[in-house]
Amino acid sequence: MNEYTRGNFKAGFKTLLSTKLRSFWTMLGIIIGVASVITVIGIGSGIKQQVSHQIQHLGRDVIVIRPGELHGSTGLDALSGLNVSGALSSKDVNVVKNVDGVSSVAPISISVAKITRDKIPYNNNLLIGTNGDLPGLLNQSIAYGSFFTYEDEGSKAAVLGDKVAKRIFDEELPLGRTFYYNGQEFIVRGILNEMNTTPLTEQADFNDAIFIQDQVAQELSKNTAPIYQILARPEDPKQYKAVAEKIQNSLYKSHGYQNNFKVITGGKDYDSNGTVLSLLTQMIAGVASISLLVGGVGIMNVMYVSVAERLHEIGIRRAIGATNKQIVSQFVTEASIISLVGGVLGVILAFFINILLRIFSDLKPVMSIELIVLAIFISIIIGIIFGSFPAIKAARKNPIDALRS
Amino acid sequence: MALIELQDVSKLYGFGDATTLALDEVNLTIEKGEFVAVMGPSGCGKSTLMNIIGLLDRPSHGKYRLQAKSVETLRPNQSAKLRRDTIGFIFQSYNLVPRLNVLDNVALPLMYKGVNVTNRIKQASAMLERVGIQEREYFMPNQLSGGQLQCAAIARALINNPKLIVADEPTGNLDSESSRLVMELLADIHKNGNTVIFVTHNPELTRYATRVVYMHDGSIIHDEKTVIGRVASTAKKVAEKSLTSDEEHLLAGVSTMMKTFPTKDSESKTKSRKKPLKGKKKS
Ligand SMILES: Nc1ncnc2c1ncn2[C@@H]1O[C@H](COP(=O)(O)OP(=O)(O)OP(=O)(O)O)[C@@H](O)[C@H]1O
Ligand SMILES: [Mg+2]
């Protein structure tokens, strides 16, 4: 840095300090521009992340086996969303488990049951029979305690959905507490985190469900708890289609060459999710460009005004012998300092807005490093261009014309 | 070799019907070491002339040679460097940068020259001492009186030790005491061998000059050498004439009376341009 530039930097900061108010207004434009760009883009990518998270939740690599439409009472299906045709059984679970390349399998059987806790009856509880693979298949985390495993087979362990714990037990953490179902005592072994997705249908709220061993559920309901679906995951996601085909063949064989079941592979079903995501991506890009434009125009405006205001000063400086280059360089330095400081303050403001949004709304804006760097970078570029452009213009005038303004 | 040579220099402002002829084929030669006072009524083109001489503006027509070098051929960078190193311009309205303190203002031309900070501050401070306001070097311009501001502006004009000082009504906004101070400073610079050109409406101040140039409607109508310490004879005449006719005019300065300036009965030195005086507006 040569003597002149160093002087410029000092002068730049001096300018900032000595004209606090105007610098503040100038900067405010940049701060708001940068903060709003970051916030808007952050909200957009936050929403996208949430949506794609929900889609991921059911895992794109999970194969779903459902009873065939043939055996379903379709009218009821449409209403309840639950297919209760009962074409799938625990036997099918074992068949799928033994298919080559399947790493985990979990049935989901559903019954609506009455339970009692401390002699108080609770009706209409969604009771889901499954096994220890379910959390892994749903990418579902456990808040407290643990899910049951294959070693617990036959035991009366229960895991509660997020809402059940609060609804039936008068505490948040009823670990180790008991309830009765069909005269059997169950011990609460774990509590799930809130599920963002409804793996089955809108109607079956997994957050309000009690999970028990499928085997136990079948026994206690005397095999009236239909298996609504079986989830399976291939060892190698790349073998997804091949494994699905193998499952199809094995079940076809074990069902006596009857096609009374459906193996649903992600492909078709999840396509719409991909479209949603790409639409979201496009929307975010659109909103981001508009907000960048608005922020940029704001910065531009503010820089332009501050230079126009200083035309007289440019005249003085030129009259006493500043070259055009020196004047432009002074303005570029000042503009970069103002837009850098404004950009950083804008990021800080965006950070606070982010926190407030997370506290007071369901939005979870994402502030990525790339976004922050980009916003600061753009604010500096725009600041420099529009800070120096009028200075360049002024530098072309006769000194006396600049002085007259 | 003359320091300044103007040859048929004209300056036009505006276009079409609104064209103003601010300078009308002015010829003027100023040698190194002269102390020239420029006088004339308001609007006769004094400031326009100063701006052109000081390289703040360019003539519309004609030739201007500064140090025998034609100004038209200068690139913007070169004229900026001439303004910085060779010319010190002093304005009626001081024109200090309001955001900088006095010291920084005075040091500004040094900064543009590339002098390092310590030397800049040292030299600027010394210059402020020379013009007598060193104790106010850290004041902001809005904390100074007009006289002090003009002293600071002079210090800034002198800081690069220019050969030529161009001052457009340096005392125009000052009382007689401050005016005297400012003129003493200019006289001091002149004594050191520099050339000084200044505009004034006050005949008294021609005492400091070695030469007085009178202008009217964009032309130089009279040019006389004078003796330092004495009011220029023509200026005096005009002043006395006004004294008898209208006292108000004296108070307002000579500008109004200069319009009735006698061109025919002037002394031998008068370069009387025998053409009738044109209106300021050329149609
Ligand atoms: N930028 C401009 N645009 C148009 N006309 C101008 C401009 N500057 C000066 N003029 C005109 O040129 C003429 C000369 O103006 P100038 O400022 O040189 O007069 P002056 O002798 O300095 O007057 P004063 O004693 O009042 O300062 C005037 O008629 C003025 O109106
Ligand atoms: Mg003037």
Side-chain angles (χ1 to χ4, degrees):
Chain A
M1 205 188 287
N2 65 27
E3 186 55 41
Y4 180 74
T5 333
R6 190 160 37 225
N8 252 354
F9 259 102
K10 276 180 89 179
F13 275 112
K14 252 188 184 161
T15 304
L16 280 185
L17 295 178
S18 64
T19 53
K20 281 184 210 102
L21 195 68
R22 204 192 45 209
S23 318
F24 174 75
W25 287 118
T26 309
M27 237 186 258
L28 194 65
I30 297 167
I31 293 172
I32 291 175
V34 168
S36 54
V37 166
I38 292 183
T39 305
V40 168
I41 298 180
I43 288 175
S45 27
I47 289 175
K48 188 184 162 188
Q49 209 175 64
Q50 278 168 282
V51 169
S52 75
H53 194 75
Q54 291 188 358
I55 289 167
Q56 289 299 300
H57 214 76
L58 215 150
R60 278 170 168 272
D61 54 345
V62 172
I63 298 161
V64 178
I65 300 121
R66 285 194 181 167
E69 224 94 64
L70 277 173
H71 288 249
S73 39
T74 42
L76 192 79
D77 288 352
L79 274 180
S80 69
L82 296 179
N83 188 319
V84 288
S85 67
L88 293 176
S89 66
S90 303
K91 208 182 104 201
D92 295 321
V93 178
N94 284 324
V95 170
V96 174
K97 197 187 289 174
N98 290 330
V99 168
D100 249 12
V102 171
S103 72
S104 52
V105 182
I108 295 178
S109 74
I110 288 174
S111 47
V112 176
K114 186 184 101 176
I115 64 161
T116 49
R117 192 266 300 167
D118 296 332
K119 306 222 168 68
I120 309 167
Y122 292 89
N123 286 317
N124 292 329
N125 293 293
L126 186 63
L127 209 65
I128 291 175
T130 185
N131 65 24
D133 280 349
L134 186 73
L137 282 160
L138 294 181
N139 292 328
Q140 177 60 42
S141 56
I142 290 131
Y144 306 103
S146 60
F147 212 81
F148 38 79
T149 62
Y150 281 103
E151 277 91 73
D152 300 316
E153 214 144 291
S155 81
K156 307 286 186 301
V159 175
L160 306 182
D162 176 57
K163 284 190 204 158
V164 185
K166 284 168 214 158
R167 186 165 59 82
I168 296 181
F169 298 89
D170 38 19
E171 58 174 321
E172 293 260 329
L173 236 172
L175 283 183
R177 305 249 329 237
T178 58
F179 64 88
Y180 285 86
Y181 164 56
N182 257 1
Q184 293 286 333
E185 187 182 38
F186 284 80
I187 292 184
V188 176
R189 149 82 65 100
I191 294 149
L192 295 176
N193 270 321
E194 192 187 340
M195 267 186 217
N196 290 321
T197 45
T198 49
L200 293 182
T201 67
E202 297 290 321
Q203 282 80 3
D205 185 357
F206 270 39
N207 285 316
D208 204 7
I210 299 167
F211 298 81
I212 60 173
Q213 301 267 347
D214 177 49
Q215 201 192 345
V216 176
Q218 297 299 338
E219 267 167 35
L220 292 180
S221 67
K222 295 167 189 80
N223 287 328
T224 60
I227 292 186
Y228 173 68
Q229 65 181 23
I230 298 169
L231 304 178
R233 171 175 279 146
E235 270 160 11
D236 179 1
K238 284 184 200 129
Q239 296 299 312
Y240 182 73
K241 291 273 175 196
V243 171
E245 218 158 279
K246 278 185 204 161
I247 292 174
Q248 168 78 35
N249 292 339
S250 305
L251 283 177
Y252 189 53
K253 229 180 270 171
S254 76
H255 278 228
Y257 302 99
Q258 262 193 302
N259 235 343
N260 54 359
F261 62 91
K262 252 189 350 190
V263 177
I264 302 165
T265 51
K268 197 179 157 214
D269 264 19
Y270 299 125
D271 243 14
S272 58
N273 294 331
T275 315
V276 167
L277 278 189
S278 86
L279 277 177
L280 258 179
T281 310
Q282 286 172 33
M283 188 202 82
I284 292 161
V287 170
S289 356
I290 291 171
S291 62
L292 272 178
L293 192 76
V294 171
V297 168
I299 296 174
M300 182 175 108
N301 205 27
V302 126
M303 291 313 298
Y304 198 92
V305 168
S306 85
V307 171
E309 258 178 19
R310 291 176 59 185
L311 216 63
H312 184 73
E313 185 187 320
I314 294 178
I316 298 176
R317 288 174 184 269
R318 293 201 55 211
I320 61 171
T323 62
N324 290 344
K325 221 175 106 193
Q326 286 170 326
I327 286 183
V328 170
S329 128
Q330 178 201 339
F331 274 82
V332 168
T333 319
E334 279 183 28
S336 2
I337 293 171
I338 288 187
S339 30
L340 176 67
V341 175
V344 169
L345 290 179
V347 169
I348 294 172
L349 178 65
F351 184 73
F352 282 111
I353 295 176
N354 190 330
I355 291 176
L356 290 179
L357 282 175
R358 278 167 184 267
I359 293 175
F360 294 111
S361 79
D362 290 335
L363 296 170
K364 293 186 173 65
V366 180
M367 274 177 78
S368 64
I369 291 292
E370 292 92 333
L371 180 57
I372 291 170
V373 170
L374 184 77
I376 293 182
F377 180 74
I378 286 178
S379 78
I380 292 179
I381 293 295
I382 295 177
I384 288 177
I385 291 174
F386 290 97
S388 52
F389 170 66
I392 292 170
K393 227 174 81 179
R396 291 223 183 93
K397 287 185 170 185
N398 270 332
I400 196 70
D401 294 326
L403 261 174
R404 280 202 187 99
S405 48
Chain B
M1 181 188 78
L3 179 65
I4 291 168
E5 255 187 291
L6 297 179
Q7 227 174 62
D8 296 329
V9 165
S10 300
K11 180 72 189 180
L12 292 147
Y13 288 114
F15 305 93
D17 283 351
T19 306
T20 306
L21 185 63
L23 287 181
D24 185 6
E25 297 185 351
V26 169
N27 288 289
L28 180 66
T29 304
I30 294 172
E31 301 293 333
K32 185 175 173 297
E34 282 193 289
F35 195 162
V36 183
V38 177
M39 298 190 75
S42 196
C44 71
K46 304 182 296 295
S47 296
T48 308
L49 182 66
M50 291 303 110
N51 294 338
I52 287 174
I53 290 177
L55 296 183
L56 300 183
D57 209 349
R58 298 245 170 161
S60 311
H61 303 285
K63 262 202 152 37
Y64 170 24
R65 272 191 290 270
L66 179 65
Q67 303 183 97
K69 206 161 181 249
S70 187
V71 160
E72 294 98 89
T73 61
L74 291 177
R75 277 183 279 115
N77 246 11
Q78 292 173 304
S79 31
K81 280 179 184 139
L82 277 173
R83 284 196 294 271
R84 186 186 74 196
D85 302 331
T86 312
I87 304 166
F89 207 103
I90 300 165
F91 302 88
Q92 179 178 355
S93 53
Y94 327 121
N95 275 338
L96 296 181
V97 177
R99 310 177 293 119
L100 300 180
N101 69 28
V102 170
L103 194 64
D104 286 336
N105 260 291
V106 173
L108 219 45
L110 292 173
M111 180 177 105
Y112 290 131
K113 205 176 178 178
V115 178
N116 72 38
V117 184
T118 18
N119 283 342
R120 299 209 282 265
I121 298 301
K122 232 185 270 167
Q123 287 181 43
S125 188
M127 189 55 75
L128 282 169
E129 188 182 7
R130 191 173 146 198
V131 301
I133 53 163
Q134 194 191 22
E135 71 278 11
R136 290 198 160 59
E137 59 187 15
Y138 291 109
F139 281 46
M140 297 307 284
N142 60 10
Q143 296 168 318
L144 295 186
S145 74
Q148 291 162 341
L149 283 170
Q150 198 58 295
C151 286
I154 291 174
R156 186 180 64 185
L158 296 184
I159 194 81
N160 272 335
N161 202 17
K163 289 194 185 77
L164 171 65
I165 297 288
V166 181
D168 188 359
E169 296 192 50
T171 62
N173 289 349
L174 305 180
D175 67 4
S176 59
E177 187 49 37
S178 305
S179 295
R180 207 183 54 80
L181 193 77
V182 164
M183 289 315 296
E184 292 295 342
L185 277 171
L186 292 180
D188 202 41
I189 300 160
H190 173 244
K191 251 179 248 152
N192 292 335
N194 299 305
T195 312
V196 180
I197 308 170
F198 73 105
V199 173
T200 184
H201 285 289
N202 185 352
E204 274 297 312
L205 300 186
T206 57
R207 281 181 199 280
Y208 294 92
T210 61
R211 178 179 172 189
V212 183
V213 170
Y214 300 90
M215 291 182 71
H216 188 90
D217 272 356
S219 303
I220 292 176
I221 49 168
H222 186 63
D223 188 342
E224 72 177 317
K225 297 260 190 261
T226 59
V227 181
I228 291 181
R230 282 175 47 191
V231 176
S233 54
T234 317
K236 198 170 165 189
K237 246 186 238 165
V238 175
E240 279 166 356
K241 194 178 162 196
S242 72
L243 196 66
T244 52
S245 62
D246 190 350
E247 276 199 54
E248 254 178 61
H249 284 158
L250 180 68
L251 295 169
V254 289
S255 41
T256 30
M257 284 72 66
M258 294 299 282
K259 283 176 185 151
T260 59
F261 189 82
T263 39
K264 290 201 172 144
D265 58 8
S266 47
E267 287 146 276
S268 54
K269 273 175 193 165
T270 306
K271 295 182 193 166
S272 71
R273 300 172 61 100
K274 293 269 158 80
K275 62 180 174 182
L277 296 172
K278 284 183 210 158
K280 269 192 291 175
K281 305 257 170 179
K282 232 186 187 179
S283 49

